[in-house]
Amino acid sequence: FSPISEEAHQANLRMIERADAVIVAPVAFGFGNVKNLDACSFALTLGKRVFLMNEALNRDNDFTDGVAVDKLSKLLEMGAEVVEDLKEIAWDYL
């Protein structure tokens, strides 16, 4: 539950630049990892596909007083796609 360092965040952004897509798994969001949602915004600005597992949108997993829910909503507005199962996207990347 340590916060993501700026160095780790920048490394994440560099990996996203090389990735075809980003998947947000169903995890609990706290102030330590909410920066990963900012990285997803970056991916969308690069034209990358961002997939949100439906369970990741569960408000009960937001321990940031709504910050994560707001960021997830923004991702949806930017074009992130909601999927129930990884099988829905697997064929696109095989």
Side-chain angles (χ1 to χ4, degrees):
F1 295 101
S2 299
I4 296 171
S5 69
E6 186 57 30
E7 181 179 329
H9 179 63
Q10 291 301 317
N12 190 21
L13 297 179
R14 299 299 77 81
M15 285 188 274
I16 286 171
E17 288 176 335
R18 296 187 309 268
D20 293 323
V22 175
I23 300 170
V24 178
V27 298
F29 288 104
F31 290 106
N33 68 347
V34 75
K35 203 174 224 183
N36 285 323
L37 297 177
D38 297 332
C40 291
S41 292
F42 174 72
L44 288 166
T45 65
L46 294 178
K48 309 287 183 171
R49 292 177 77 183
V50 173
F51 298 99
L52 305 175
M53 299 296 297
N54 189 44
E55 290 179 45
L57 301 174
N58 184 339
R59 291 177 178 268
D60 292 337
N61 292 332
D62 181 358
F63 297 93
T64 63
D65 298 323
V67 172
V69 167
D70 290 345
K71 289 179 184 279
L72 287 163
S73 295
K74 180 182 175 195
L75 292 174
L76 291 170
E77 290 171 14
M78 293 176 70
E81 304 168 56
V82 178
V83 294
E84 285 292 327
D85 191 293
L86 292 177
K87 294 175 192 170
E88 293 178 44
I89 59 175
W91 291 109
D92 290 343
Y93 297 96
L94 291 178

